[in-house]
């Protein structure tokens, strides 16, 4: 059986598990390095990235996430998860896990008053089709300095908000808080439930 | 300002979804009371998922008395400058102008809180009229659903703030859970009578009867002082915890804050909670909530 692990240190991990369940994908919360490594795919959810870093310190969880990504299993990151996955982080500055060749700029749209539901129309049609994609942005980061192998799959006002690099799909918004299954389906396209 | 009638259900609006969305992001975390930038930094470094700005922590309000109000604006700005995590702030119950000031300051969440001295003895803020999300306290399901009816995007127990005694947070969590379970057992014919008895909006009673949970995240607050207190709240169904006096009235706030974060995440792993509970130094002394007289209770504020 193929089981996707949802990193459940803090954040909207339950919303991710519920969204995957609607797609027929088995997902379970993972909190330890062993649980992360035992997963056949990973979700790095939304939440507070500073809290997640603190909870990963000295536990081996960060290294386990990198191992799962390097062995080629699908990784789906949203919002704070994208911050964790990025090579560099700004606001404040630090290194990320380096799964995504990009710099994540935290809180780049502003505070909660700048959070919004946006209909994205600037989409990669081969990956997502033509229908507009409803995107929930909550204190979202922006992506900068994209590496040459990073494909941009959706833009908001010209800026990348959904990208793919190999087995990693990263959304600065929250597909798990919308009914549209296209982004998660893209991230776990190789999963038996979705093939 | 919106003048839309309540019946056109603002709950499915994008504005409300974005508010509940932030509450979703705070799940599994610890929101810590802070009075200045220095404490905010300690909280963030310990792994707080958000900080709550207030003028005085509840145990000081309890000790010193007087009217407790919204935090001074300069303090809120200083806290916003100091940290990158969400900044919440408290306004007095029904204080429409404090709420508007906090919105103008672009705080990320407003706690319309019984910890401060109420500004209105009958009414709460109509929270759908604001762009910033609100959290409110409750002691039971009727109170929770009245606050959600007004537009609260997050509910927390009231507990008894500033005591370091968990007993009332437990009572309120159990009460809300018990009442939600009871609703799920009713036939449709019994829903309206239940709404009448709870003093809660009918549509929300129906939602809870059909889903068995609150339509917004359900957190715990009031009297959490140890890692095990936080784990207890999670065991009883709270999706995250607020900690007030319990951290900055303890001997080593940074260590205790970090330990409570750890226990909140690993609440179902007793060995992790045990490890987090080691070498914390002295906890806040606290006051037994059962020894308080009626006039000293903060939880009875709110209508």
């Amino acid at each position: 059986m193929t089981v996707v692990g949802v990193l459940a240190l803090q954040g909207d991990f339950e919303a991710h598990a519920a969204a995957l369940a609607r797609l027929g994908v088995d997902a379970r919360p993972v909190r330890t390095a062993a649980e992360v490594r035992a997963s056949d795919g990973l979700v790095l959810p939304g939440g507070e990235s500073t809290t997640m870093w603190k909870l990963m310190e000295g536990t081996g969880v960060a290294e386990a996430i990198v191992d799962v990504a390097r062995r080629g299993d699908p990784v789906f990151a949203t919002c704070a998860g994208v911050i964790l996955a990025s090579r560099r982080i700004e606001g404040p500055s630090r290194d990320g896990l380096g799964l995504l060749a990009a710099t994540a700029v935290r809180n780049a749209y502003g505070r909660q008053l700048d959070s919004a539901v946006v209909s994205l129309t600037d989409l990669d049609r081969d990956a997502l089709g033509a229908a507009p994609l409803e995107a929930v942005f909550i204190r979202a980061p922006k992506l900068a300095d994209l590496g040459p192998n990073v494909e941009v799959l959706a833009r908001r006002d010209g800026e990348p908000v959904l990208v793919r690099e190999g087995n990693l799909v990263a959304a600065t918004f929250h597909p798990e808080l919308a009914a549209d299954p296209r982004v998660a389906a893209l991230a776990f396209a190789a999963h038996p439930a979705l093939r | 300002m919106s003048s839309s009638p309540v019946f056109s259900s603002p709950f499915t609006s994008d504005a409300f979804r974005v508010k509940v969305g932030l509450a979703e992001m705070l799940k599994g975390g610890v929101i810590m009371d802070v009075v200045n930038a220095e404490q905010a930094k300690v909280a963030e470094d310990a792994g707080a998922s958000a900080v709550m700005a207030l003028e005085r922590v509840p145990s000081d309000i309890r000790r010193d008395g007087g009217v407790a109000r919204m935090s001074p604006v300069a303090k809120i700005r200083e806290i916003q400058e100091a940290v990158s995590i969400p900044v919440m702030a408290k306004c007095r119950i029904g204080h429409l102008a404090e709420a508007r000031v906090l919105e103008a300051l672009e705080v990320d969440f407003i706690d319309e809180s019984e910890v401060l001295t109420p500004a209105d003895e009958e009414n709460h803020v109509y929270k759908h009229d604001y762009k910033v999300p609100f959290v409110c306290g409750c002691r039971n399901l009727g109170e929770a659903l009245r606050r959600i009816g007004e537009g609260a995007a997050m509910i927390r127990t009231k507990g008894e703030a500033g005591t370091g005694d968990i007993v009332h947070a437990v009572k309120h969590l159990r009460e809300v859970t018990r009442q939600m379970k009871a609703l799920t057992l009713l036939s449709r014919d019994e829903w309206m009578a239940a709404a009448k008895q709870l003093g809660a909006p009918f549509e929300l009673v129906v939602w809870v009867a059909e889903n068995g949970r609150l339509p917004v995240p359900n957190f715990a607050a009031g009297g959490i002082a140890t890692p095990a207190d936080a784990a207890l709240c999670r065991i009883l169904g709270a999706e995250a915890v607020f900690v007030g006096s319990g951290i900055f009235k303890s001997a080593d706030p940074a260590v205790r804050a970090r330990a409570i974060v750890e226990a909140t995440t690993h609440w179902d792993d007793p060995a992790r909670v045990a490890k987090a509970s080691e070498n914390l130094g002295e906890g806040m002394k606290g006051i037994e909530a059962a020894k308080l007289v009626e006039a000293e209770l903060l939880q009875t504020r709110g209508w």
Side-chain angles (χ1 to χ4, degrees), chain A residues 9-11 54 106 113, chain B residues 25 27 45 84 108 131 265:
Chain A
L9 297 173
Q10 191 274 322
K54 192 54 68 173
R106 293 182 62 219
L113 283 180
Chain B
M25 298 311 140
K27 282 185 176 178
D45 289 345
S84 63
D108 296 293
K131 220 185 151 208
T265 289

Side-chain angles (χ1 to χ4, degrees), chain A residues 9-12 14 31 46-48 50-51 54-55 106-107 111-113 115 117 134 138-139 174 177, chain B residues 14 17-18 22 24-28 45-49 80 84-86 103 106 108 131 133 258 265 268:
Chain A
L9 297 173
Q10 191 274 322
D12 74 335
E14 284 171 3
R31 296 190 181 89
E48 282 307 315
T50 51
T51 303
K54 192 54 68 173
L55 286 160
R106 293 182 62 219
N107 300 324
R111 300 182 189 278
Q112 173 64 7
L113 283 180
S115 293
V117 180
E134 185 187 61
I138 310 276
R139 286 172 47 95
H174 295 282
L177 297 183
Chain B
D14 286 350
R17 288 175 65 200
V18 164
L22 180 56
E24 289 285 337
M25 298 311 140
L26 297 170
K27 282 185 176 178
D45 289 345
S49 57
Q80 286 174 317
S84 63
I85 56 179
E103 182 176 53
E106 302 192 1
D108 296 293
K131 220 185 151 208
R258 178 70 189 82
T265 289
D268 57 352

Side-chain angles (χ1 to χ4, degrees), chain A residues 103-182:
Chain A
T103 299
V105 184
R106 293 182 62 219
N107 300 324
Y109 293 92
R111 300 182 189 278
Q112 173 64 7
L113 283 180
D114 305 292
S115 293
V117 180
V118 174
S119 179
L120 300 175
T121 52
D122 188 352
L123 306 176
D124 180 323
R125 294 189 175 208
D126 292 337
L128 293 161
L133 183 67
E134 185 187 61
V136 183
F137 287 87
I138 310 276
R139 286 172 47 95
K142 286 187 183 179
L143 290 172
D145 309 327
L146 297 186
N149 298 322
V150 178
E151 300 169 76
V152 177
L153 304 181
R155 296 176 194 271
R156 173 184 175 185
D157 300 328
E159 294 180 307
V161 293
L162 175 64
V163 300
R164 178 166 58 188
E165 183 173 11
N167 53 329
L168 172 80
V169 170
T172 61
F173 53 96
H174 295 282
E176 72 278 12
L177 297 183
D180 194 322
R182 278 179 287 170

